[in-house]
Amino acid sequence: MDHRPQAWGRPRDDVYGAYDRSYMQDNGPKQNTQQPIVTGTSVIGIKFKDGVVMAADNLASYGSLARFTDVKRLRPFADSSILGFSGDISDMQYLDRHLIDLSLSEAYESPDKPRLNAANLHRYLSKLLYNRRSKFDPLWNHLLVGGLDDNGEPFLAAADLLGSTYSAPSLATGFGAMLAQPIMRRYVPDEESAKKLSREEAINIVKEAMKVLFYRDARSLDSYSLAVVTKDGVELKEDEKLEDQSWAFADRIKGYGTQTV
Amino acid sequence: MFRNNYDNDSVTFSPQGRIFQIEYAGEAVKQGSVVVGIASKTHADLARVAQQRNAEELSSYQKKLFEIDEHTAIAIAGLTSDARVLSNFMKQQSLGHRLTYGRPIPIHTLVGMIGEKAQINTQVYGKRPYGIGLLVAGVDENGPHLFEFQPSGMTEEMVAFAIGARSQMARTYLERNIESFADCSKEELVKHGLRALKESLVQDKELTVENTSVGLVGLKEGPNGRSSIEPFKLYDGFEVKSWIESVSESQGGEGEGDAAGEGMEVDS
């Protein structure tokens, strides 16, 4: 009997060889997040005359493996703003818990109406992200925040893992910035055209962009969430399916995957 | 000789369940000159009378109304230097809130912070309570607010209140008129505040432009029908002249005769 507690429950050295104790060291340098692990791909958002439309697919990838296919990446806040997360899913879940605390304490202070609007929320999250990157321990996310600002005007802005912020009539994160943004920008090149855009038009543009993303982004999914924020609140649909796909363009593309010809 | 054994620190209860150091701090508030605050549906108003610190007019009057942020201000009664500490703290918190959330700090949140800060001083050995009472006036998304703050850390929302020397007289006036405050215009609100102040003045003292100042913060009609903040403004010196004159003319209006009668039991 080996009486040393450290040895209990471990494979016997005389049977399996010496255990590699380098894995047990806890006196090495502390290592913070170096890369995201389980990730969500693009989030896209567009302003229209009375609000904001936002969409993100329901996939959480583990590297190139489509690991979880029903992860909802759009999160309403106080029924007045919508948040879209791309990047690390566990950091998204951390932020989600953090925002639950925030919305609860806000609801205690002002039960009858929400007081933190989308602009306030975006400011807060960007400070949170910047604080973490300044500790060299970033939250590996790229967020879109949609809703209304202090004057009741549509608000859409982004914040990334470095704490950078920017705003535009249409925004997209990740692959969407290359693939969806040019399409949305054709419809809303500036604030004036966003003010003329109707709700139906905005939804159609976003659906079209989600379809293009599914065609060309290998880490995407055809099931997605779609949210519309107006002064009346957040309408969130979490089980949308891409419609009217046409893969005709892919007919002559060869040399990928399991193709043998 | 009588000696109180239970007032050496702020952490020990007396057998009757009292903490004397906190009660003594409350006395410091009563030494300060009177300040009055009233909130209507649209405005919150602070009015004060100041004491001259040195006899023989060697000094100016002590300032008693402090702007904390665009949308909040405090009126103080008690130890001015203790108030400066709290005032600086409140300014920092308001600024910090603006930075992280991009909005003015809700009044309830701000008052909660000083309440918590002051309470700690009553429960930690070697500390002493703030010798200061505050009226905190401000506006936020839920409209105008007036809060009272006491050295014990107690905070309470008020429609109208007065603290400081002989403030019971002012409170009696306010109680008498409480129904009318909600729908007052800001001019009427100021006049109510000044009349309440007048009630608590000693016999031969009067409201003058030197010893009186008024602070106002409220809501105004903003663009596209939303109400926006009318920032805090302090009215000093000649700016309060017309108001003081108008309340000295309309003397006897609010039934001040009997008010003097029953409100006589002055603090300490």
Side-chain angles (χ1 to χ4, degrees):
Chain A
M1 165 87 191
D2 190 341
H3 293 282
R4 293 169 307 150
Q6 303 96 299
W8 295 351
R10 296 190 189 286
R12 281 167 55 180
D13 286 358
D14 55 335
V15 178
Y16 296 97
Y19 184 76
D20 182 359
R21 286 174 195 280
S22 67
Y23 291 112
M24 295 166 60
Q25 280 174 11
D26 56 357
N27 55 355
K30 177 176 179 280
Q31 203 173 41
N32 289 329
T33 314
Q34 301 294 306
Q35 56 179 338
I37 305 297
V38 178
T39 57
T41 185
S42 333
V43 180
I44 60 174
I46 190 169
K47 283 202 239 184
F48 66 98
K49 65 178 165 53
D50 331 291
V52 176
V53 179
M54 199 182 283
D57 67 29
N58 294 338
L59 178 67
S61 311
Y62 180 60
S64 58
L65 174 70
R67 182 66 183 80
F68 306 103
T69 52
D70 58 348
V71 175
K72 310 300 189 285
R73 297 191 290 125
L74 296 189
R75 180 204 192 280
F77 184 85
D79 199 38
S80 57
S81 313
I82 190 80
L83 272 153
F85 296 87
S86 59
D88 195 271
I89 295 296
S90 59
D91 285 349
M92 173 187 91
Q93 289 166 342
Y94 167 81
L95 281 168
D96 180 56
R97 289 195 295 274
H98 190 83
L99 289 167
I100 288 172
D101 287 353
L102 181 68
S103 62
L104 275 177
S105 61
E106 273 292 304
Y108 270 112
E109 294 261 309
S110 175
D112 36 343
K113 57 180 173 183
R115 296 189 302 180
L116 275 179
N117 60 34
N120 300 143
L121 189 64
H122 174 254
R123 171 75 78 96
Y124 176 73
L125 286 168
S126 69
K127 295 283 190 259
L128 188 69
L129 290 163
Y130 179 69
N131 178 264
R132 287 293 295 264
R133 85 102 220 204
S134 301
K135 290 178 182 160
F136 276 74
D137 189 15
L139 292 166
W140 219 287
N141 294 110
H142 196 157
L143 321 169
L144 294 190
V145 184
L148 302 175
D149 65 11
D150 298 334
N151 301 316
E153 299 289 327
F155 174 90
L156 177 64
D160 69 10
L161 70 165
L162 302 175
S164 324
T165 61
Y166 47 92
S167 182
S170 65
L171 283 174
T173 69
F175 240 53
M178 291 81 156
L179 296 172
Q181 183 74 278
I183 299 172
M184 295 191 288
R185 211 173 266 166
R186 274 218 297 274
Y187 295 96
V188 283
D190 46 33
E191 293 289 341
E192 282 85 78
S193 30
K195 281 204 173 63
K196 287 180 203 137
L197 203 66
S198 77
R199 178 196 168 106
E200 282 66 38
E201 284 170 321
I203 291 176
N204 286 335
I205 294 167
V206 163
K207 284 185 172 174
E208 198 59 33
M210 286 307 284
K211 198 158 43 174
V212 171
L213 281 174
F214 182 55
Y215 290 154
R216 316 228 83 128
D217 179 359
R219 309 282 169 267
S220 69
L221 199 66
D222 54 353
S223 125
Y224 64 101
S225 309
L226 183 85
V228 183
V229 194
T230 58
K231 66 174 179 357
D232 303 317
V234 180
E235 292 162 52
L236 176 58
K237 285 181 277 191
E238 291 187 317
D239 278 304
E240 296 288 279
K241 281 275 174 203
L242 286 182
E243 290 157 357
D244 307 321
Q245 292 178 42
S246 163
W247 288 87
F249 74 93
D251 194 34
R252 283 169 294 118
I253 299 178
K254 286 192 181 6
Y256 293 97
T258 53
Q259 277 177 348
T260 46
V261 233
Chain B
M1 200 181 119
F2 171 75
R3 210 178 106 76
N4 190 342
N5 287 313
Y6 296 97
D7 68 351
N8 289 317
D9 57 60
S10 64
V11 302
T12 310
F13 280 107
S14 82
Q16 285 77 39
R18 299 161 65 181
I19 298 171
F20 284 101
Q21 282 298 327
I22 298 176
E23 295 185 22
Y24 299 162
E27 293 303 314
V29 178
K30 293 175 187 168
Q31 306 281 332
S33 59
V34 63
V35 291
V36 172
I38 313 177
S40 75
K41 276 182 192 159
T42 57
H43 287 80
D45 133 88
L46 295 169
R48 63 98 211 215
V49 161
Q51 285 170 324
Q52 231 161 356
R53 293 202 330 124
N54 297 323
E56 318 293 346
E57 306 187 353
L58 283 176
S59 76
S60 61
Y61 286 93
Q62 177 65 48
K63 203 178 149 207
K64 291 198 173 287
L65 261 39
F66 296 98
E67 177 175 349
I68 298 298
D69 197 350
E70 250 193 4
H71 70 300
T72 5
I74 55 170
I76 64 171
L79 301 178
T80 315
S81 34
D82 280 17
R84 276 232 328 265
V85 175
L86 275 186
S87 157
N88 285 337
F89 173 77
M90 290 168 87
K91 283 177 186 173
Q92 277 183 0
Q93 293 303 319
S94 322
L95 226 49
H97 199 93
R98 264 185 204 275
L99 186 78
T100 40
Y101 295 93
R103 67 167 185 188
I105 189 169
I107 312 301
H108 184 267
T109 310
L110 182 64
V111 172
M113 282 171 172
I114 55 169
E116 224 136 274
K117 190 174 161 68
Q119 195 278 337
I120 290 168
N121 289 272
T122 69
Q123 219 180 3
V124 177
Y125 189 79
K127 290 186 184 284
R128 74 167 168 82
Y130 289 101
I132 185 80
L134 298 181
L135 293 179
V136 184
V139 282
D140 58 26
E141 297 87 338
N142 297 332
H145 298 281
L146 176 71
F147 282 89
E148 177 207 359
F149 163 85
Q150 286 292 331
S152 59
M154 187 221 64
T155 58
E156 199 168 6
E157 179 148 24
M158 296 293 188
V159 173
F161 205 59
I163 53 173
R166 296 165 57 84
S167 56
Q168 181 57 50
M169 306 284 283
R171 284 201 292 275
T172 308
Y173 172 88
L174 295 172
E175 271 172 34
R176 217 167 279 251
N177 294 283
I178 192 163
E179 302 296 336
S180 60
F181 295 147
D183 299 306
C184 270
S185 71
K186 72 177 179 187
E187 295 288 320
E188 286 169 333
L189 210 59
V190 170
K191 284 179 193 167
H192 275 304
L194 291 179
R195 283 194 208 108
L197 273 188
K198 243 165 88 94
E199 293 288 324
S200 55
L201 286 179
V202 284
Q203 203 82 69
D204 50 350
K205 263 214 155 184
E206 272 183 30
L207 294 181
T208 65
V209 289
E210 286 85 30
N211 71 4
T212 311
S213 50
V214 172
L216 265 173
V217 60
L219 295 169
K220 62 180 179 200
E221 282 289 302
N224 57 34
R226 295 164 158 268
S227 52
S228 65
I229 293 171
E230 180 184 324
F232 176 76
K233 173 127 174 46
L234 181 63
Y235 298 88
D236 242 345
F238 71 94
E239 292 164 304
V240 294
K241 194 162 180 241
S242 61
W243 281 328
I244 292 178
E245 278 165 7
S246 71
V247 293
S248 60
E249 281 158 19
S250 66
Q251 211 151 25
E254 251 60 35
E256 54 144 37
D258 49 340
E262 60 177 276
M264 257 316 179
E265 21 90 45
V266 186
D267 18 76
S268 71

